[in-house]
Amino acid sequence: RLLGQIASVHFFDSQSARWSLAQREDALAIIVKRGVHPLLGDVVNGLPQGGAQAPAGAQSGASAYAQLPASFVGHAAIHGQRVYCGSAVSSPDPRYWVAQGGGTQTAITPAGQPVSYQAGEFIDFRLGGNALLYQRQGWDFSSAGGTWTVAPTARLALKLMGAAADGQVDHIEIVAQGMVGPSHPATRAELVINGISLGVHAFGHEQTLKLPLSLPENTLSDGVVEMEFRVLDPVSPHVLGLSEDKRDLGVLLIRLRIASEND
């Protein structure tokens, strides 16, 4: 069963000085899975579907590097689910990459048109969910529990369809939790939609937040909704004594939807 799922296993010497040379030899292993990544294409062969060239300076045959599709600019390095361009990390969905600037400090910002959204349907941030379609910058990578915000502002963009675009929605429903611990019982975040603040809310343990929503016509351009979670007091699991993760995390999104009372 494993042979059918694994393309290769590579062993490398550890560079740690903590152990003896005998203990460091072949101490690290990288397992490369078979198959085609649903977003990045044929990662096993190192190139997205359509073909590309490795960037200058990349190791020969290195499968960690791939050129962005023709509609994007620059190169990206793939490490697991994470996608790097220069020193920046962005959404793992390459449809929302566009490189700006030059040299090694290339930044990634989202590009492309917002994806259509049917009012009443849940956007699922858990592993295997559909949230990647709507995510812009500021998000971690999905897990079984949901997706964390990893920047002061995490953004979503979607395009309301049909009656929803005409303003026939009246609330937003968010299932989420904050980064919490004994010394940090809740994480505060302001929710802003199309420039309109829906207030600052405290996210503790998993909860459902239902907020009234009124989108004036002059804030809706072709039904596009841009949503921001502005985290006011992110904290790392390391500071809270929960794990060694030193990243400042804000809100763990689980599900979200824009709906009317009839949904």
Side-chain angles (χ1 to χ4, degrees):
R1 203 169 89 185
L2 291 175
L3 288 175
Q5 298 180 22
I6 296 176
S8 60
V9 182
H10 305 271
F11 294 92
F12 300 90
D13 293 351
S14 170
Q15 300 300 307
S16 171
R18 180 179 179 183
W19 314 102
S20 69
L21 179 61
Q23 290 173 298
R24 300 202 308 261
E25 290 180 335
D26 290 345
L28 302 176
I30 293 179
I31 300 173
V32 182
K33 294 183 66 175
R34 293 185 184 275
V36 175
H37 191 286
L39 297 174
L40 300 176
D42 190 357
V43 178
V44 170
N45 292 322
L47 300 174
Q49 292 172 342
Q53 298 296 320
Q59 296 178 4
S60 176
S63 63
Y65 291 90
Q67 190 177 38
L68 297 178
S71 56
F72 303 98
V73 181
H75 292 87
I78 302 166
H79 179 73
Q81 287 190 48
R82 286 170 170 76
V83 180
Y84 298 85
C85 189
S87 61
V89 185
S90 186
S91 166
D93 189 337
R95 286 170 293 185
Y96 303 133
W97 301 342
V98 59
Q100 296 179 337
T104 60
Q105 298 302 315
T106 304
I108 296 181
T109 56
Q113 296 300 314
V115 175
S116 299
Y117 168 78
Q118 195 67 40
E121 294 183 356
F122 275 106
I123 297 175
D124 192 341
F125 291 81
R126 295 170 295 183
L127 191 64
N130 62 344
L132 273 179
L133 296 172
Y134 308 101
Q135 285 177 5
R136 293 307 196 243
Q137 64 265 46
W139 300 96
D140 192 20
F141 300 86
S142 60
S143 67
T147 304
W148 286 101
T149 63
V150 289
T153 300
R155 294 181 173 88
L156 300 170
L158 54 89
K159 184 172 183 178
L160 287 169
M161 300 303 294
D166 298 328
Q168 297 181 31
V169 291
D170 55 28
H171 71 274
I172 181 170
E173 185 177 329
I174 302 168
V175 182
Q177 72 177 62
M179 173 52 63
V180 297
S183 61
H184 195 265
T187 299
R188 295 175 304 126
E190 181 184 18
L191 178 60
V192 178
I193 296 182
N194 287 10
I196 300 173
S197 176
L198 299 189
V200 174
H201 304 277
F203 293 88
H205 296 284
E206 183 176 331
Q207 64 194 82
T208 299
L209 185 66
K210 187 175 179 180
L211 301 173
L213 179 63
S214 176
L215 295 174
E217 289 186 9
N218 62 352
T219 68
L220 275 174
S221 176
D222 296 327
V224 173
V225 173
E226 295 185 348
M227 192 178 308
E228 296 183 353
F229 288 86
R230 300 177 180 176
V231 181
L232 304 181
D233 50 1
V235 65
S236 73
H238 178 72
V239 167
L240 296 180
L242 302 176
S243 75
E244 293 303 311
D245 189 348
K246 296 182 180 180
R247 298 173 303 154
D248 285 336
L249 304 179
V251 180
L252 179 75
L253 271 292
I254 302 170
R255 294 190 305 277
L256 178 152
R257 69 172 179 168
I258 296 174
S260 68
E261 289 297 340
N262 296 326
D263 292 320

